[in-house]
Amino acid sequence: QKACPGAERSLKNRVLIALGDIGDGKASTFLLDHLRRTQDGRLLNNTAISLGKIGAKGNAIGVLKELIADPKAYIRINADYRS
């Protein structure tokens, strides 16, 4: 881990993207929970994109609306990001 800083973040991003690419709705609970908890803008974006890919946009939109009120600017900006 110390030899390769950022490796864990990179792996998380790949997992989030893969879950969206697989497209199984069973991942929506995990992804929604991750969307609520993440403090990383890139992870937030990839989680929201994956939720859209698996057909859980409605649930994601509700969480993203909550995150737009987050006190941290980078969370608000990423919650409102449109790809």
Side-chain angles (χ1 to χ4, degrees):
Q1 186 79 20
K2 290 181 182 179
C4 188
E8 182 179 337
R9 180 176 181 248
S10 177
L11 177 60
K12 286 180 182 180
N13 269 308
R14 285 183 280 177
V15 168
L16 294 169
I17 292 166
L19 287 171
D21 290 344
I22 292 167
D24 189 341
K26 293 177 189 173
S28 65
T29 301
F30 168 79
L31 291 169
L32 284 167
D33 185 52
H34 190 268
L35 189 65
R36 286 183 182 95
R37 291 182 301 111
T38 189
Q39 293 295 302
D40 182 296
R42 184 172 176 201
L43 295 176
L44 189 151
N45 287 336
N46 287 333
T47 304
I49 289 166
S50 289
L51 281 161
K53 287 181 177 181
I54 66 171
K57 273 186 183 176
N59 294 334
I61 289 171
V63 175
L64 291 169
K65 284 181 179 178
E66 293 171 18
L67 293 174
I68 289 173
D70 193 284
K72 295 173 218 74
Y74 69 94
I75 294 292
R76 291 192 308 271
I77 290 166
N78 283 286
D80 195 37
Y81 175 79
R82 292 168 178 86
S83 60

